[in-house]
Amino acid sequence: MQYKIKQQEFRIKFQALSKDNNVRLGQITTQRGIINTPAFLPVGTNAAVKAMSPDEMKELGAEILLSNTYHLCLRPGHEIIREVGGLHSFMKWDGPILTDSGGFQVFSLAPLRKIKDNGVEFRSHIDGSLHFLTPERVMEIQRALGADIAMVFDECTPFPASKEYAHNSLKLTTEWARRCKEARDNPPTPPFKKGGCKLNPSLEKGDVGGFSDLQQSLFGIVQGGVYTDLRKQSAEELIQMDFDGYALGGLSVGEPKELMYDVVHFTTPLLPQERPRYLMGIGDLMDVLEAVSAGIDMFDCVMPTRNARNGTLFTSQGRVSIKREEFRKDPDPLDPDCNCYTCQNFSRAYLRHVFMSREILSMRLNTTHNLHFYLEFFRKMREAIKDNSFAGFRKAWTPVLQNNFHEG
Amino acid sequence: MQYKIKQQEFRIKFQALSKDNNVRLGQITTQRGIINTPAFLPVGTNAAVKAMSPDEMKELGAEILLSNTYHLCLRPGHEIIREVGGLHSFMKWDGPILTDSGGFQVFSLAPLRKIKDNGVEFRSHIDGSLHFLTPERVMEIQRALGADIAMVFDECTPFPASKEYAHNSLKLTTEWARRCKEARDNPPTPPFKKGGCKLNPSLEKGDVGGFSDLQQSLFGIVQGGVYTDLRKQSAEELIQMDFDGYALGGLSVGEPKELMYDVVHFTTPLLPQERPRYLMGIGDLMDVLEAVSAGIDMFDCVMPTRNARNGTLFTSQGRVSIKREEFRKDPDPLDPDCNCYTCQNFSRAYLRHVFMSREILSMRLNTTHNLHFYLEFFRKMREAIKDNSFAGFRKAWTPVLQNNFHEG
């Protein structure tokens, strides 16, 4: 027996606001808030953006977070998150959340994976336990999490891959996408159990974070490796199924940049104008500029957060390593043009000191700065698109993004 | 040539507000704010309270922080902190700071130390470099840091120690205390260099955080091991030198609790009523209750912060380990009676999850809770003293503090 959902329109709506050639300015409306596009999605793998509190993410202006299905189904387990009221309540983030499908992680993290028609068998990278993910199960997990935007389960085609491999992989991804959509449209379970919870009084009323009648948005993922005809086939097959948005997957997996840019420029125009387009896992800002010029609307990447923890910081003058000797006595803020908490309060000398001392505060201050830099970059980019000056924006930022003081 | 200080009265003032037998309620007035006593000093070893921002420490109600001379003189180096405007500006904490003298760390952390009459030679635990600390140098370091309250350089007598060892050690500590006071009263250098600093505009005017005419408060440290006659001798010799406050050192170094309590009860009443009394390094709240009953006013300890990072949390029901299996699906806050950010926003299930996932946010949320617990405990204890009900407070808390759900 299947759980009957009310036919309410909860899914996202995408509205293109203006265009500067292929470059798009838009808004994705979700029941949890508006996402201005082009948008950057900070990554909260384990239901937390590393080093940050959800309040701080809100203050930084993040409009949507990404979280990882693969990680959360292994730990703590999606059933636990379902029971305590869903991912939003669990991690105390009331804005939209996109969850990936776990496809990428199964293929990049899990040992001993075996692809079968029905799904993928793999061992957990945490404790070696055996798991089996199918398209239906992946949808069930994302439903338990309560993601606003779910992604279809896909095989992330590696690079290099023969055309035959890429073709077979694509066929599998298309079939899995069909099964994911079927599962989304006919969910087998109610979204959440009722239960009392002091932190979430709405649970008492069975209205769990507004999601008791959740109908998730679902994005298809275009695969096909570096073969344009396969990318075209994948896009066309997915478009026929009518997803709420479309992602480009299987990029930035080792292929040369030019090849990636070619695929993005070839594939993006094939996708429907009226749906958001998402380039998965890309976050190098030079790549972002290229992809936005092709009409991409959404990006996610661990680059700002991971680099922050390693002491690599983005500034209006270029990328720097905070451990550089020259910062030892430097009383100035990291980036005098930045108005983030870190730059408003601490000197380069202090940032270097807490980094060298491995203080947790170092990771916090660096992450705050890098995320602020990224979100501000996207905000300014949207302003430029609005003013029909994306080309000028790109030209002005290119030397900055290529400047690298990294070697300390 | 010596730097002439204006004879302004910058030192702390201590005022006893009320007493409940030996138990004291008081206020220490500093130029950076009032410290209500009995007071707990959170520890910011490397110029940062681990996992916390200075803003958060203010919000939690911390009225004074402790920082470590030994760590800061090795990294980043006190001259660097002096150049960027002193420790307050460096770590962005505008409340009072007490710095220890480094004595305890030299004896507990540094390898290959050699005690000489003039000072101690030791190697850095960070990079093995050779250093030499004298009483004069320790005062110069604390002056460079700009601590509101400095501590004399002492030898922390170990346990067990023969009476002869303890006596010789005590004589050294007394002589070093005399030299520290002489150095404090006649500082050889101006406190800070002038310099431009965007983050600290007052530097331009040569008025560094209000400390251009700093006259630090200085506390003596009573040693003498577990020998009461030596403790008496130490206290008397220090009192003759007239310090701004008095600390009990060399306790909680391995001796049985009863012995520690005996020394505290014997020594505390020997110290002047009109000066604050500080029990160094003690923070187990059972010990705090005992010491407060003897008339101690100040405590510092890494217990709340270090335990937090290890997942051990203090609650109104006792001490618990957040990794306990029973918390896996627990939707309730850690401590329903607690109004800290952690308990107001997150479930036990989430706290367990981020701890098991080793998320940085886990250390933040746990530290926030434990510090809130400690500072609230002290606040409530002060209220009880004010109401002449310390005995009842102690009786009510004893079973809670002894309750331990720690084994997970």
Side-chain angles (χ1 to χ4, degrees), chain A residues 38-59:
Chain A
F40 179 71
L41 285 68
V43 177
T45 298
N46 292 308
V49 176
K50 289 198 190 302
M52 302 297 286
S53 79
D55 294 18
E56 289 163 349
M57 294 310 298
K58 188 79 46 167
E59 281 161 30

mmCIF file of all heavy atoms in Angstrom, chain A residues 38-59:
data_model
loop_
_atom_site.group_PDB
_atom_site.id
_atom_site.type_symbol
_atom_site.label_atom_id
_atom_site.label_comp_id
_atom_site.label_asym_id
_atom_site.label_seq_id
_atom_site.Cartn_x
_atom_site.Cartn_y
_atom_site.Cartn_z
ATOM 1 N N PRO A 38 22.649 32.774 -10.325
ATOM 2 C CA PRO A 38 23.489 31.633 -9.994
ATOM 3 C C PRO A 38 23.722 31.534 -8.488
ATOM 4 O O PRO A 38 24.020 32.540 -7.848
ATOM 5 C CB PRO A 38 24.793 31.899 -10.732
ATOM 6 C CG PRO A 38 24.429 32.831 -11.836
ATOM 7 C CD PRO A 38 23.311 33.650 -11.313
ATOM 8 N N ALA A 39 23.610 30.315 -7.964
ATOM 9 C CA ALA A 39 23.678 30.084 -6.521
ATOM 10 C C ALA A 39 24.839 29.168 -6.180
ATOM 11 O O ALA A 39 25.159 28.248 -6.939
ATOM 12 C CB ALA A 39 22.382 29.453 -6.034
ATOM 13 N N PHE A 40 25.442 29.446 -5.012
ATOM 14 C CA PHE A 40 26.453 28.530 -4.483
ATOM 15 C C PHE A 40 25.876 27.772 -3.302
ATOM 16 O O PHE A 40 25.301 28.375 -2.395
ATOM 17 C CB PHE A 40 27.717 29.278 -4.053
ATOM 18 C CG PHE A 40 28.760 28.359 -3.494
ATOM 19 C CD1 PHE A 40 29.439 27.491 -4.343
ATOM 20 C CD2 PHE A 40 29.032 28.311 -2.139
ATOM 21 C CE1 PHE A 40 30.383 26.593 -3.842
ATOM 22 C CE2 PHE A 40 29.973 27.417 -1.629
ATOM 23 C CZ PHE A 40 30.649 26.563 -2.484
ATOM 24 N N LEU A 41 26.024 26.452 -3.297
ATOM 25 C CA LEU A 41 25.519 25.606 -2.220
ATOM 26 C C LEU A 41 26.676 25.166 -1.333
ATOM 27 O O LEU A 41 27.453 24.286 -1.722
ATOM 28 C CB LEU A 41 24.841 24.351 -2.780
ATOM 29 C CG LEU A 41 23.457 24.487 -3.415
ATOM 30 C CD1 LEU A 41 23.490 25.279 -4.702
ATOM 31 C CD2 LEU A 41 22.843 23.102 -3.641
ATOM 32 N N PRO A 42 26.819 25.737 -0.133
ATOM 33 C CA PRO A 42 27.826 25.210 0.801
ATOM 34 C C PRO A 42 27.496 23.766 1.160
ATOM 35 O O PRO A 42 26.327 23.379 1.186
ATOM 36 C CB PRO A 42 27.700 26.130 2.018
ATOM 37 C CG PRO A 42 27.079 27.389 1.493
ATOM 38 C CD PRO A 42 26.139 26.918 0.419
ATOM 39 N N VAL A 43 28.538 22.989 1.437
ATOM 40 C CA VAL A 43 28.368 21.555 1.631
ATOM 41 C C VAL A 43 28.361 21.215 3.119
ATOM 42 O O VAL A 43 29.293 21.563 3.844
ATOM 43 C CB VAL A 43 29.487 20.776 0.914
ATOM 44 C CG1 VAL A 43 29.353 19.283 1.168
ATOM 45 C CG2 VAL A 43 29.463 21.076 -0.583
ATOM 46 N N GLY A 44 27.298 20.537 3.553
ATOM 47 C CA GLY A 44 27.211 20.054 4.934
ATOM 48 C C GLY A 44 27.121 18.541 4.937
ATOM 49 O O GLY A 44 26.071 17.984 5.242
ATOM 50 N N THR A 45 28.215 17.903 4.614
ATOM 51 C CA THR A 45 28.252 16.452 4.386
ATOM 52 C C THR A 45 27.520 15.670 5.467
ATOM 53 O O THR A 45 26.598 14.909 5.184
ATOM 54 C CB THR A 45 29.713 15.977 4.296
ATOM 55 O OG1 THR A 45 30.308 16.635 3.173
ATOM 56 C CG2 THR A 45 29.801 14.477 4.112
ATOM 57 N N ASN A 46 27.954 15.843 6.708
ATOM 58 C CA ASN A 46 27.401 15.078 7.825
ATOM 59 C C ASN A 46 26.321 15.857 8.574
ATOM 60 O O ASN A 46 26.250 15.812 9.795
ATOM 61 C CB ASN A 46 28.520 14.719 8.821
ATOM 62 C CG ASN A 46 29.503 13.733 8.259
ATOM 63 O OD1 ASN A 46 29.118 12.683 7.755
ATOM 64 N ND2 ASN A 46 30.785 14.066 8.327
ATOM 65 N N ALA A 47 25.472 16.569 7.848
ATOM 66 C CA ALA A 47 24.432 17.382 8.485
ATOM 67 C C ALA A 47 25.029 18.529 9.293
ATOM 68 O O ALA A 47 24.478 18.948 10.314
ATOM 69 C CB ALA A 47 23.498 16.529 9.358
ATOM 70 N N ALA A 48 26.194 19.007 8.838
ATOM 71 C CA ALA A 48 26.816 20.189 9.435
ATOM 72 C C ALA A 48 27.823 20.726 8.424
ATOM 73 O O ALA A 48 28.602 19.942 7.869
ATOM 74 C CB ALA A 48 27.529 19.846 10.748
ATOM 75 N N VAL A 49 27.791 22.025 8.178
ATOM 76 C CA VAL A 49 28.837 22.632 7.355
ATOM 77 C C VAL A 49 30.076 22.708 8.232
ATOM 78 O O VAL A 49 30.035 23.304 9.317
ATOM 79 C CB VAL A 49 28.426 24.032 6.869
ATOM 80 C CG1 VAL A 49 29.571 24.687 6.087
ATOM 81 C CG2 VAL A 49 27.173 23.948 6.005
ATOM 82 N N LYS A 50 31.152 22.082 7.815
ATOM 83 C CA LYS A 50 32.292 21.892 8.709
ATOM 84 C C LYS A 50 32.751 23.210 9.336
ATOM 85 O O LYS A 50 33.002 24.188 8.654
ATOM 86 C CB LYS A 50 33.451 21.222 7.963
ATOM 87 C CG LYS A 50 33.137 19.761 7.658
ATOM 88 C CD LYS A 50 34.366 18.931 7.315
ATOM 89 C CE LYS A 50 33.948 17.569 6.788
ATOM 90 N NZ LYS A 50 33.117 16.786 7.704
ATOM 91 N N ALA A 51 32.821 23.208 10.661
ATOM 92 C CA ALA A 51 33.280 24.327 11.514
ATOM 93 C C ALA A 51 32.219 25.397 11.754
ATOM 94 O O ALA A 51 32.452 26.297 12.549
ATOM 95 C CB ALA A 51 34.555 24.984 10.971
ATOM 96 N N MET A 52 31.060 25.289 11.081
ATOM 97 C CA MET A 52 30.075 26.368 11.151
ATOM 98 C C MET A 52 28.808 25.937 11.885
ATOM 99 O O MET A 52 28.410 24.773 11.836
ATOM 100 C CB MET A 52 29.694 26.797 9.739
ATOM 101 C CG MET A 52 30.859 27.263 8.877
ATOM 102 S SD MET A 52 31.692 28.738 9.509
ATOM 103 C CE MET A 52 30.473 29.979 9.090
ATOM 104 N N SER A 53 28.146 26.926 12.501
ATOM 105 C CA SER A 53 26.818 26.684 13.065
ATOM 106 C C SER A 53 25.784 27.089 12.022
ATOM 107 O O SER A 53 26.063 27.905 11.142
ATOM 108 C CB SER A 53 26.628 27.508 14.339
ATOM 109 O OG SER A 53 26.331 28.847 14.011
ATOM 110 N N PRO A 54 24.573 26.518 12.102
ATOM 111 C CA PRO A 54 23.541 26.898 11.124
ATOM 112 C C PRO A 54 23.201 28.392 11.192
ATOM 113 O O PRO A 54 22.939 29.009 10.159
ATOM 114 C CB PRO A 54 22.346 26.018 11.511
ATOM 115 C CG PRO A 54 22.644 25.477 12.862
ATOM 116 C CD PRO A 54 24.120 25.456 13.008
ATOM 117 N N ASP A 55 23.225 28.979 12.386
ATOM 118 C CA ASP A 55 22.983 30.422 12.508
ATOM 119 C C ASP A 55 23.991 31.215 11.683
ATOM 120 O O ASP A 55 23.650 32.207 11.030
ATOM 121 C CB ASP A 55 23.130 30.888 13.963
ATOM 122 C CG ASP A 55 22.063 30.315 14.861
ATOM 123 O OD1 ASP A 55 21.432 29.321 14.460
ATOM 124 O OD2 ASP A 55 21.871 30.858 15.959
ATOM 125 N N GLU A 56 25.237 30.794 11.772
ATOM 126 C CA GLU A 56 26.279 31.513 11.029
ATOM 127 C C GLU A 56 26.076 31.383 9.520
ATOM 128 O O GLU A 56 26.321 32.333 8.772
ATOM 129 C CB GLU A 56 27.660 30.989 11.428
ATOM 130 C CG GLU A 56 28.056 31.412 12.832
ATOM 131 C CD GLU A 56 29.201 30.598 13.421
ATOM 132 O OE1 GLU A 56 29.572 29.551 12.829
ATOM 133 O OE2 GLU A 56 29.713 30.982 14.479
ATOM 134 N N MET A 57 25.606 30.212 9.077
ATOM 135 C CA MET A 57 25.347 30.037 7.646
ATOM 136 C C MET A 57 24.245 30.991 7.191
ATOM 137 O O MET A 57 24.309 31.557 6.101
ATOM 138 C CB MET A 57 24.965 28.589 7.345
ATOM 139 C CG MET A 57 26.077 27.584 7.580
ATOM 140 S SD MET A 57 27.645 28.036 6.795
ATOM 141 C CE MET A 57 27.163 28.030 5.062
ATOM 142 N N LYS A 58 23.258 31.167 8.030
ATOM 143 C CA LYS A 58 22.179 32.099 7.725
ATOM 144 C C LYS A 58 22.731 33.526 7.656
ATOM 145 O O LYS A 58 22.465 34.270 6.704
ATOM 146 C CB LYS A 58 21.098 31.952 8.804
ATOM 147 C CG LYS A 58 19.810 32.687 8.598
ATOM 148 C CD LYS A 58 18.797 32.070 7.638
ATOM 149 C CE LYS A 58 18.513 30.600 7.777
ATOM 150 N NZ LYS A 58 17.326 30.130 7.042
ATOM 151 N N GLU A 59 23.529 33.894 8.659
ATOM 152 C CA GLU A 59 24.106 35.249 8.681
ATOM 153 C C GLU A 59 24.993 35.526 7.465
ATOM 154 O O GLU A 59 25.050 36.637 6.966
ATOM 155 C CB GLU A 59 24.942 35.459 9.956
ATOM 156 C CG GLU A 59 24.114 35.767 11.190
ATOM 157 C CD GLU A 59 24.892 35.503 12.477
ATOM 158 O OE1 GLU A 59 26.126 35.630 12.479
ATOM 159 O OE2 GLU A 59 24.240 35.134 13.491
#
